[in-house]
């Protein structure tokens, strides 16, 4: 099967996820904000919830790949191993001796253990106990329980670090420091894992090299008919959006790339926290999102040139309809009071993952939204999310589709 995602709702065939692991045990009330979580998690319960999520997808014949396994298999390759270690254990973060000590430890590990190290991180106490030395300014300054190599709990949200658009993948430069190293792991997987290494697919962005021009996959929706919708948000910059659009339009089959000008705030960090698709022409939309101005990019006259057309908020739905080439789009907004709407959005009621047109996975806690969807003809496969949801992401955020059927 060829890697390809040309819509949000075509039958889902293959997806990358990450089962929460030891990195979650590193979350504390002190570091959770910096690590972009709103609470600490009961890891075992979170794993059970995640297993439930995976079981729902497998039941619908979706092939599920795990980041931690892909990464361990990738690290069997010496070149991949060098790449990940060089990029992870970087002198500019850990100083000269700190880097050397960590690198020596990393070099002694099996591929599986190295994969676990870069995801779960390590504390000063653990590192010093294993390596028997601490002659480093970086280590001297750190408290004993300080994660000298930070954990990556947000690997859980595989949607964001890389996202497939048509026959290519955007490996993203991430906005928040807490997530930047996730990109190294995905870059290695796509370059060296046997599943991807010899396959013919495009790369729409430059990964870590894109630096300030950040893009996160939660902002990227392949809405269909050659159109891509991108949230210009807390995480995806206007520059990241334009550069992605140029790449998609000039090197691929995209016909238009539409940017939605969002507020920059945590509750709505990505477009998919406020708006997702449930079938070819229907969007589930957060009641308080309102109508947002858009910026549409199409190909310019000369190679690499882009045309940028702005439209006011009141035209938002018309812009979507034009992109999909339909008279109008259908917008579903859960009928509920303002409190319920805000609480629902916070708990990812709008963040559904389509398994096929009119079949979505959603958190079970969002009862009103789910009943409303059912009443509108959408089958809702529910999953528990009491623990997982504390990271502020739902089923769409926790999945990176690599293959979907055409619609
Ligand atoms: N697409 C998404 O909305 N992903 C959720 C990301 C949550 C994560 N804790 C973050 O702040 O990046």
């Amino acid at each position: 099967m060829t890697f390809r995602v040309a819509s949000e709702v075509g039958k889902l065939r293959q997806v990358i996820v990450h089962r929460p692991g030891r990195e979650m045990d590193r979350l504390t009330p002190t570091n959770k904000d910096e690590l972009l979580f709103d609470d600490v998690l009961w890891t075992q319960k979170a794993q059970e919830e995640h297993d439930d999520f995976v079981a729902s997808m497998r039941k619908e014949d979706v092939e599920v790949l795990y980041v931690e396994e892909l990464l361990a298999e990738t690290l069997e390759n010496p070149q991949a191993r060098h790449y990940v270690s060089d990029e992870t254990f970087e002198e500019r973060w850990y100083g000269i001796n700190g880097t050397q000590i960590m690198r020596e430890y990393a070099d002694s590990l099996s591929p599986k253990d190295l994969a676990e190290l870069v995801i779960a991180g390590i504390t000063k106490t653990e590192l010093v106990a294993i390596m028997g030395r601490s002659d480093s300014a970086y280590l001297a300054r750190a408290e004993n329980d300080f994660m000298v190599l930070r954990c990556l709990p947000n690997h859980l949200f595989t949607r964001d670090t890389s996202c497939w658009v048509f026959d290519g993948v955007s490996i993203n430069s991430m906005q928040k420091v807490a997530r930047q190293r996730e990109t190294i792991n995905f870059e290695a997987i796509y370059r060296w894992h046997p599943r991807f290494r010899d396959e013919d697919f495009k790369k729409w962005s430059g990964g870590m090299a894109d630096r300030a021009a950040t893009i996160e996959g939660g902002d990227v929706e392949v809405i269909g008919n050659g159109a891509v919708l991108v949230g210009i948000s807390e995480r995806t910059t206007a520059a990241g959006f334009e550069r992605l659009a140029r790449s998609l339009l000039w090197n691929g089959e995209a016909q238009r790339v539409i940017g939605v000008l969002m507020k920059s705030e945590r509750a709505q960090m990505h477009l998919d926290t406020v708006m997702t698709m449930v079938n070819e022409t229907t969007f589930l939309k957060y009641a308080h999102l309102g109508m947002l101005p858009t910026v549409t990019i199409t190909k310019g006259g000369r190679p690499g040139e882009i045309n940028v057309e702005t439209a006011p908020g009141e035209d938002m739905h018309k812009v979507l309809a034009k992109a999909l080439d339909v008279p109008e789009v259908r917008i579903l907004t859960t009928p509920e009071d303002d409190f319920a709407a805000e609480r629902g959005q916070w708990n990812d009621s709008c963040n559904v993952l389509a398994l096929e047109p009119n079949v979505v996975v959603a958190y079970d806690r969002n009862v009103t939204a789910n009943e409303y969807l059912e009443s509108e003809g959408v089958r809702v496969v529910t999953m528990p999310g009491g623990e997982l949801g504390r990271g502020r992401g739902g089923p769409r955020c926790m999945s990176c589709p690599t293959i979907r059927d055409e619609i």
Side-chain angles (χ1 to χ4, degrees):
M1 276 194 288
T2 337
F3 299 109
R4 182 173 169 79
V5 176
S7 85
E8 283 293 304
V9 298
K11 178 142 185 67
L12 185 59
R13 295 287 175 192
Q14 192 186 67
V15 78
I16 303 178
V17 302
H18 173 65
R19 185 175 195 259
R22 232 161 40 85
E23 68 283 359
M24 292 301 177
D25 295 331
R26 310 283 203 189
L27 280 173
T28 65
T30 317
N31 68 23
K32 68 172 176 44
D33 292 338
E34 200 186 323
L35 291 171
L36 311 173
F37 272 66
D38 296 308
D39 202 348
V40 300
L41 266 72
W42 176 9
T43 306
Q44 194 192 329
K45 197 79 187 156
Q47 288 172 334
E48 285 168 23
E49 292 173 355
H50 198 269
D51 292 344
D52 192 304
F53 176 41
V54 167
S56 310
M57 291 192 283
R58 286 190 171 143
K59 202 165 156 222
E60 304 283 333
D61 295 326
V62 181
E63 184 184 9
V64 179
L65 311 176
Y66 285 99
V67 175
E68 57 277 26
E69 288 173 10
L70 292 173
L71 185 60
E73 289 156 6
T74 300
L75 292 170
E76 301 273 352
N77 179 313
Q79 265 178 304
R81 201 180 161 111
H82 267 118
Y83 170 81
V84 168
S85 298
D86 286 352
E87 296 291 323
T88 303
F89 306 106
E90 236 285 335
E91 215 173 87
R92 276 167 286 196
W93 287 106
Y94 313 114
I96 298 168
N97 283 10
T99 304
Q100 200 187 79
I101 296 168
M102 282 199 245
R103 180 65 189 253
E104 240 174 72
Y105 174 50
D107 287 348
S108 74
L109 297 175
S110 68
K112 186 168 182 299
D113 290 344
L114 178 56
E116 184 163 2
L117 172 69
V118 298
I119 297 175
I122 192 164
T123 65
K124 173 179 167 179
T125 309
E126 290 165 341
L127 184 69
V128 173
I130 296 166
M131 298 307 286
R133 58 183 276 216
S134 59
D135 53 323
S136 129
Y138 174 68
L139 292 179
R141 189 152 194 262
E143 302 286 339
N144 287 338
D145 62 357
F146 181 74
M147 274 180 294
V148 286
L149 180 71
R150 250 197 257 228
C151 60
L152 299 176
N154 293 291
H155 250 319
L156 175 62
F157 304 108
T158 49
R159 172 70 60 166
D160 301 324
T161 331
S162 73
C163 51
W164 286 79
V165 183
F166 305 114
D167 56 343
V169 64
S170 175
I171 306 171
N172 299 325
S173 171
M174 307 295 281
Q175 176 69 231
K176 302 281 183 186
V177 178
R179 301 201 62 176
Q180 287 169 355
R181 279 183 22 242
E182 292 171 30
T183 306
I184 302 170
N185 301 337
F186 272 100
E187 180 76 49
I189 289 170
Y190 291 129
R191 254 160 92 176
W192 286 287
H193 191 280
R195 248 179 209 282
F196 297 99
R197 193 180 45 207
D198 302 321
E199 293 298 319
D200 188 24
F201 59 86
K202 297 178 179 126
K203 287 195 182 162
W204 302 126
S205 55
M208 303 273 276
D210 285 346
R211 292 171 188 264
T214 59
I215 303 165
E216 297 195 4
D219 280 314
V220 181
E221 299 187 9
V222 192
I223 60 174
N225 194 42
V228 182
L229 188 66
V230 180
I232 300 172
S233 65
E234 187 198 52
R235 303 296 178 85
T236 296
T237 64
F241 157 69
E242 282 196 352
R243 283 160 56 92
L244 175 66
R246 179 178 58 190
S247 181
L248 290 170
L249 291 164
W250 281 100
N251 304 320
E253 60 199 91
Q255 300 299 312
R256 70 182 61 216
V257 184
I258 303 159
V260 185
L261 301 177
M262 297 175 61
K263 278 191 222 163
S264 183
E265 62 178 42
R266 172 153 180 80
Q268 311 185 5
M269 73 194 94
H270 298 117
L271 178 65
D272 69 0
T273 62
V274 286
M275 200 165 144
T276 48
M277 289 184 89
V278 299
N279 67 30
E280 297 86 336
T281 52
T282 307
F283 294 81
L284 173 63
K285 190 176 160 193
Y286 174 42
H288 296 177
L289 184 65
M291 301 290 274
L292 299 179
T294 53
V295 184
T296 297
I297 299 195
T298 48
K299 263 184 180 177
R302 269 175 299 185
E305 225 173 56
I306 54 167
N307 285 335
V308 180
E309 193 187 328
T310 57
E314 69 247 35
D315 288 350
M316 181 181 179
H317 297 169
K318 277 192 223 148
V319 168
L320 294 175
K322 186 171 169 199
L324 292 174
D325 195 22
V326 292
E328 56 185 28
V329 289
R330 188 164 150 236
I331 302 290
L332 301 180
T333 296
T334 308
E336 56 191 353
D337 69 30
D338 287 355
F339 288 99
E342 196 179 345
R343 284 165 55 85
Q345 189 274 331
W346 182 246
N347 287 315
D348 287 293
S349 60
C350 303
N351 189 265
V352 298
L353 169 71
L355 299 177
E356 60 181 69
N358 293 316
V359 180
V360 301
V361 185
Y363 278 149
D364 57 4
R365 65 189 301 154
N366 297 310
V367 176
T368 315
N370 295 345
E371 283 176 0
Y372 171 62
L373 282 174
E374 292 271 357
S375 75
E376 292 290 326
V378 178
R379 176 158 73 89
V380 181
V381 178
T382 55
M383 63 168 286
E387 294 299 318
L388 294 172
R390 294 168 193 244
R392 290 280 77 69
R396 189 181 187 275
C397 307
M398 291 187 294
S399 55
C400 168
T402 47
I403 306 177
R404 274 192 192 272
D405 283 357
E406 300 291 316
I407 46 168

